[in-house]
Amino acid sequence: MRNPPTLLSLTIDSALINFSTISDLSFVPEHILLELFVRTLKAGKLNEKILKLFVATGKEEILSVIESLNIQHILVPVLPTRKLFHDEVDIVIGALQPDLTSFMEQWRPFFSRFHLIIVQDPDLKGELKIPEGFNLNLYTKSDIDKVVGSSSNAISFSGYSCRYFGYLMSRNKYIISIDDDCIPAKNSNGEPIDAISQHIINLTTPATPFFFNTLYDPFCEGADFVRGYPFSLRSGVECGLSCGLWLNLADYDAPTQSLKPDLKNSRYVDAVLTVPARTMLPVSGINISFNNELVGPALLPAFRLAKEGKVRWETVEDIWTGMCVKVVCDHLRLGVKSGLPYVWRQERGNAVESLKKEWEGVKLMEDVVPFFQSVRLSESAVTAEDCVVEIASSVKEHLGPLNPTFAHAAETMVEWIKLWKRLRAN
Amino acid sequence: MATAAPPLKDELDIVIPTIRNLDFLEMWRPFFEPYHLIIVQDGDPTKTIKVPEGFDYELYNRNDINKILGPKSSCISFKDSACRCFGYMVSKKKYIFTIDDDCFVAKDPSGQQINALQQHIKNLLCPSTPLFFNTLYDPFREGADFVRGYPFSLREGVPTAVSHGLWMNIPDYDAPTQLVKPLERNTRYVDAVLTIPKGTLFPMCGMNLAFDRDLIGPAMYFGLMGDGQPIGRYDDMWAGWCIKVICDHLGLGVKTGLPYIWHSKASNPFVNLKKEYNGIFWQEEIIPFFQSATLSKDSTSVQKCYIELAKQVREKLGKIDPYFVKLADAMETWIQAWDELNPPKAN
């Protein structure tokens, strides 16, 4: 019979996994410190930051081990000129198809540095096929049921909404999400485009929602603010949401695609721009990223159509959510960007078939858009959570009577915030 | 097969302000020759500006402006390209395209020469969408459409009043930026036309601009700049803020993006700094003024809107500097002159 692990070894295991949260090791008794050091080496996790922690303890034995192994600080850091944000980004993928091999392999060059959260559509039976070599957490229906618990009646994470569970689980600052039927697009030289880097750039450079810059993003290389742009507005504001675009199969609704079955988007528009304050837009969930710390609670699964399906033509949940996020950003003086990066969206589904099934979404937009264009939040709403609660109450009052989908959305939004707060409190 | 007639050949005037010469027209000849030109000669009226052979044009120097407008000519700037708006006033056509004399034909990424005029016409002839942002930009362009989530009730769009084009090579920067980045060139071709959303202001550059005179003409006053004025290089900016407020009020659209022209001449940043100096400070107050400007329901025509705006300029901006009182007066003079030269058509 094997000996069960000791408490010490379990503790050291835990420390190894959570090293990023440890900022001081000086209180650790020396023998434990040594054990931790050896195990860190064995796990291949000794990096500059962690080495510094050990050295900072000043403990003799640690220092002599370091010396005897000839471990050296890198004096001239070999760093890229741009900060890579590795440990601040989660890439969240909602898996609506069972075999993610091709998808993940195509994205591997751009995904591999980052932590991934994959959430399997609870309606998708069987085990997901995921290739090796990624740093990822996988969540399935059972995880969702365990975490969400009793409120799983109100919030459905089925279909495209499964990714929101991933957002809920993430503790990172930036989240990037791409549909699983998209692959990297190619630039004019035929090279695959790093959509992840572009999203990170969008999120980490300022947005300019209060005045339109005719040369688009003034912070990108080769551009600037034009003549006539007020100087007081040139520092911009933080970017809350970045909406990317799609080549090949664009995100048209079913009527448009049915009418123009050959309409493919082949135009690469080399620009990122900030969508001005108080201007609403249809946010497509196919290729987005956001600042989880600033707007996380507003990325919510609330607007479920009665006959919502497993192709984007049969949903408008992301459009609803996007408008919530825009209202929140406008209120909190954050920016929303649109444009690059592009992804290549593969053919899936049949627009005509979708049209036969689902008209509801298209009709409901007629009420949704004017509502979001006119909703105003109170001064006391200073966080995304506050804003969402106020929007929900306004939805209940003004849209609820029009259609049960709206009333349900309002309820779900409230439940979501409760869930969000509950999970963050732990 | 006969080629189609140039679009809007008899409905569009090309207005060009100049103080030097019009050599640049040679490069534009294939695209501009079918159209009528209105040349507004700034500076010394005794100088003769040679117009290349083959162009159909009318030319106005300062003496002509004074003769035609009499005392009202005080609203037309002197020694500044702002004088071009005189060309808008005397034109009898529906559409105007204005271009600077240091702007040449640009090439698109495939190496093809860009017919800027044709693109402007396309922009003006198809609707704008200021009420909801389309993430694929102009939905009326070939190869694009409205995206999922765009309400069908908004897909008709509104009439386009202004088409604002951009520039490759020398970008339209202000003097401070020019001083800091003297070598920066715009090399990015952004293949998009988009509508500037309702409620959003933008810096309108007059270098490569087209508009529908019937829809917005009277608001295209380029202000009091140049000789005897405390400010310069804000003529087009001023017009841009005015037209946007009015377009938003009247339900008209303003587009920006394509076409690109090639801007060849970088003006002297030190000279520019002197001209722009006051503007840099004043714009901090001017922008909030325009951002919060509202027009009454009774202002149903461009002229009425403009007069109302002029009153507000006098009231609210007059306290910043007496220049704005002069400007408000000039705005009113402009409208009077416009209405005199453009009497409403008899039924």
Side-chain angles (χ1 to χ4, degrees), chain A residues 209-216 218 220-234 243 245-246 250-253 255-256 260 263-271 273 275-286 312-313 315-319 323 338-340 342 359 362 365-366 369 373, chain B residues 130-139 141-155 164 166-167 171-174 176-177 181 184-194 196-207 233-237 241 256-258 260 276 280 283-284 287 291:
Chain A
F210 304 117
F211 202 75
F212 190 85
N213 192 46
T214 48
L215 280 186
Y216 313 108
C220 82
E221 222 175 280
D224 211 308
F225 290 97
V226 296
R227 175 175 58 98
Y229 203 105
F231 278 81
S232 61
L233 294 179
R234 294 193 188 197
C243 310
L245 294 174
W246 347 269
D251 193 11
Y252 294 131
D253 51 45
T256 306
K260 301 179 175 181
L263 181 62
K264 298 279 184 286
N265 186 25
S266 52
R267 182 174 289 123
Y268 184 90
V269 178
D270 188 6
L273 58 98
V275 181
R278 289 183 322 274
T279 297
M280 287 296 126
L281 75 155
V283 172
S284 165
I286 294 173
R312 282 287 182 194
W313 285 314
T315 72
V316 277
E317 56 87 15
D318 47 352
I319 312 291
M323 282 198 253
S338 184
L340 304 180
Y342 281 86
W359 250 119
V362 166
M365 279 303 121
E366 299 299 329
V369 173
Q373 281 174 328
Chain B
L131 301 174
F132 197 64
F133 187 81
N134 193 44
T135 47
L136 278 187
Y137 314 107
D138 184 351
R141 267 187 95 191
E142 219 176 276
D145 211 310
F146 291 97
V147 297
R148 178 173 55 99
Y150 205 105
F152 275 79
S153 60
L154 294 178
R155 295 194 186 195
H164 177 262
L166 296 174
W167 350 272
D172 189 23
Y173 289 158
D174 51 50
T177 311
K181 295 178 164 188
E184 187 150 273
R185 299 287 177 265
N186 186 23
T187 55
R188 182 176 287 113
Y189 184 89
V190 179
D191 190 2
V193 182
L194 60 108
I196 300 182
K198 180 173 175 179
T200 301
L201 292 176
F202 76 116
M204 184 176 87
C205 174
M207 257 196 267
R233 282 170 59 86
Y234 271 86
D235 50 335
D236 41 6
M237 297 297 134
W241 299 324
T256 185
L258 301 183
Y260 282 89
E276 290 173 13
I280 287 171
Q283 77 189 359
E284 297 298 331
I287 303 290
Q291 278 173 332

Side-chain angles (χ1 to χ4, degrees), chain A residues 82-291:
Chain A
R82 187 171 272 150
K83 193 176 167 206
L84 287 176
F85 301 98
H86 288 161
D87 47 7
E88 291 179 88
V89 175
D90 269 329
I91 300 177
V92 175
I93 306 295
L96 271 71
Q97 49 178 330
D99 189 351
L100 290 180
T101 313
S102 165
F103 170 79
M104 307 253 327
E105 286 304 341
Q106 302 234 37
W107 283 107
R108 189 186 285 275
F110 309 124
F111 278 11
S112 60
R113 293 195 318 245
F114 299 94
H115 177 247
L116 275 70
I117 293 178
I118 301 185
V119 186
Q120 181 173 347
D121 176 4
D123 298 337
L124 189 63
K125 305 278 182 271
E127 221 177 86
L128 278 185
K129 270 185 89 180
I130 302 173
E132 297 277 326
F134 290 94
N135 173 14
L136 67 85
N137 284 79
L138 172 64
Y139 297 100
T140 61
K141 181 172 188 318
S142 59
D143 298 306
I144 297 175
D145 291 341
K146 225 184 298 178
V147 168
V148 173
S150 59
S151 57
S152 58
N153 290 329
I155 304 178
S156 169
F157 289 96
S158 108
Y160 284 103
S161 295
C162 63
R163 60 164 62 171
Y164 295 105
F165 186 78
Y167 301 168
L168 209 52
M169 293 294 105
S170 168
R171 288 296 178 274
N172 274 343
K173 183 168 179 180
Y174 303 106
I175 291 181
I176 302 171
S177 210
I178 298 176
D179 275 6
D180 65 1
D181 57 359
C182 296
I183 56 174
K186 294 210 166 76
N187 63 17
S188 48
N189 296 329
E191 296 149 346
I193 297 168
D194 186 354
I196 303 299
S197 289
Q198 183 65 55
H199 271 301
I200 293 174
I201 291 170
N202 293 350
L203 292 176
T204 55
T205 52
T208 51
F210 304 117
F211 202 75
F212 190 85
N213 192 46
T214 48
L215 280 186
Y216 313 108
D217 181 1
F219 297 100
C220 82
E221 222 175 280
D224 211 308
F225 290 97
V226 296
R227 175 175 58 98
Y229 203 105
F231 278 81
S232 61
L233 294 179
R234 294 193 188 197
S235 39
V237 295
E238 275 195 89
C239 180
L241 179 73
S242 158
C243 310
L245 294 174
W246 347 269
L247 288 172
N248 192 41
L249 196 68
D251 193 11
Y252 294 131
D253 51 45
T256 306
Q257 196 74 74
S258 310
L259 199 65
K260 301 179 175 181
D262 298 325
L263 181 62
K264 298 279 184 286
N265 186 25
S266 52
R267 182 174 289 123
Y268 184 90
V269 178
D270 188 6
V272 180
L273 58 98
T274 300
V275 181
R278 289 183 322 274
T279 297
M280 287 296 126
L281 75 155
V283 172
S284 165
I286 294 173
N287 171 18
I288 57 164
S289 66
F290 59 96
N291 184 320

Side-chain angles (χ1 to χ4, degrees), chain B residues 1 8 51 63 65 88 96 233 248 253 289 293 311:
Chain B
M1 185 173 110
L8 302 180
V51 184
N63 294 339
I65 295 173
Y88 309 159
I96 297 278
R233 282 170 59 86
D248 286 351
F289 162 76
K311 284 202 180 73

